[in-house]
Amino acid sequence: AWGGSSYGGEIPADVQSVLDASAGIDTIASNDRAFFVRTSEGANVAWGDSDLGGEIPANVQSVLDASTGIETIASSGGYYGGGYFGGTFFVRTSEGANVVWGDSSYGGSIPADVQSVLDASIGINTIMATRHAFFVRTSEGANVAWGDPMNGGHIPSDVQSVLDASTGIDTIASS
């Protein structure tokens, strides 16, 4: 890694030793301030700004370490208009556990109603992250969002109706 150390540009020695001991990397993700890696041996490490995803909380670490793999991962956060917004990671494990960490204002905390939909799902068909929020369409066709409600973390009722009536999403984008 290279760049500013507070943005993940320097790999800490403890993380570097995990990476050096690994035969490879299964998954890597980043936001503007942090990196996450799952090694081929199942070790999970993060570095960068600890408030914005660069440190995995113990409760999340235990879920990731118990997992046999990662089904999907997404990250939110970004720099916009002279200011920085968020920095969050979302992971769904191969076993169906859903975890987040990072900035709680921008998706780093999943509301209970959304968590129950995610936990009841057998899979995720679509996931999209913005600087501020996450959107998920489950395998069963449920559509949920969380994060900053003014910036994608809430699905308006008229949009929710269209999504709920659709049989799938062909294309999705965020800004």
Side-chain angles (χ1 to χ4, degrees):
W2 62 93
S5 61
S6 59
Y7 306 129
E10 284 183 32
I11 302 173
D14 61 328
V15 172
Q16 188 67 57
S17 67
V18 171
L19 297 175
D20 288 346
S22 175
I25 293 174
D26 276 352
T27 305
I28 187 166
S30 66
N31 62 38
D32 283 359
R33 303 286 172 129
F35 291 87
F36 166 78
V37 167
R38 181 175 176 100
T39 69
S40 54
E41 296 79 19
N44 301 283
V45 293
W47 70 95
D49 188 321
S50 61
D51 293 330
L52 302 173
E55 183 176 324
I56 304 170
N59 63 321
V60 172
Q61 186 77 50
S62 65
V63 171
L64 294 174
D65 289 347
S67 170
T68 60
I70 292 176
E71 177 185 318
T72 191
I73 186 167
S75 62
S76 72
Y79 185 81
Y80 176 72
Y84 180 76
F85 296 100
T88 303
F89 291 98
F90 167 84
V91 170
R92 180 172 175 104
T93 69
S94 299
E95 295 78 20
N98 303 285
V99 293
V100 293
W101 71 97
D103 189 334
S104 62
S105 299
Y106 297 105
S109 176
I110 302 175
D113 61 329
V114 172
Q115 186 75 52
S116 66
V117 170
L118 294 174
D119 289 347
S121 174
I122 61 166
I124 292 175
N125 277 358
T126 304
I127 185 163
M128 180 59 63
T130 70
R131 288 183 201 95
H132 310 275
F134 292 92
F135 166 83
V136 168
R137 182 174 178 103
T138 69
S139 299
E140 297 79 17
N143 303 286
V144 294
W146 71 95
D148 182 355
M150 297 300 295
N151 291 287
H154 169 76
I155 303 171
S157 59
D158 59 330
V159 175
Q160 185 75 52
S161 298
V162 171
L163 290 171
D164 289 347
S166 72
T167 58
I169 295 174
D170 291 330
T171 305
I172 188 168
S174 68
S175 64

